[in-house]
Amino acid sequence: SWALKLNGDLRFSNVVHNKVGEAPSDQAYRITDEVEYSIIIEEMRNGNWEAFKGSDVQLEFVRIDPFVRAFLKPETDGAFKVEFKIPDVYGVYQFKVDYNRVGYTHLYSTTQV
């Protein structure tokens, strides 16, 4: 059933990042800003999309190499969230979720900031 994508197919939606306590915006972040990142991950189970229940999904905040790597904390309805401090190094960064586990399709999300 995995090969036919009836089980174990992953998809994501609603990728949101913003300064802690503020609404999402397109403004650039400054060094040492506290930011929060959230993503909704769903899994195909028996032909229906349901909230993914994984506990090992990681976010990387990457310039060339990862500066921050943190586990996303599962919340309700497939939402995953993490808060962290922007490193004190200037540059162009990406929020990156790269989840690859046996029994699931590869999940890859990247957002440049």
Side-chain angles (χ1 to χ4, degrees), residues 49-106:
W49 289 106
E50 297 179 13
F52 181 60
K53 305 239 188 300
S55 61
D56 58 347
V57 181
Q58 289 184 339
L59 168 75
E60 292 180 334
F61 193 64
V62 178
R63 191 173 70 178
I64 294 171
D65 294 320
F67 276 75
V68 174
R69 184 177 288 137
F71 283 102
L72 290 161
K73 297 176 182 85
E75 296 189 342
T76 59
D77 298 330
F80 290 80
K81 191 174 191 179
V82 68
E83 294 181 6
F84 65 94
K85 185 184 283 192
I86 299 282
D88 61 348
V89 179
Y90 291 101
V92 177
Y93 289 88
Q94 293 180 343
F95 293 100
K96 191 179 287 189
V97 174
D98 189 4
Y99 189 75
N100 195 12
R101 298 293 185 270
V102 174
Y104 296 103
T105 55
H106 185 207

Side-chain angles (χ1 to χ4, degrees), residues 33-52:
D33 279 348
E34 290 282 336
V35 296
E36 59 186 4
Y37 175 91
S38 65
I39 185 171
I40 293 178
I41 302 175
E42 296 173 313
E43 173 188 1
M44 177 66 76
R45 275 195 224 137
N46 300 318
N48 297 317
W49 289 106
E50 297 179 13
F52 181 60

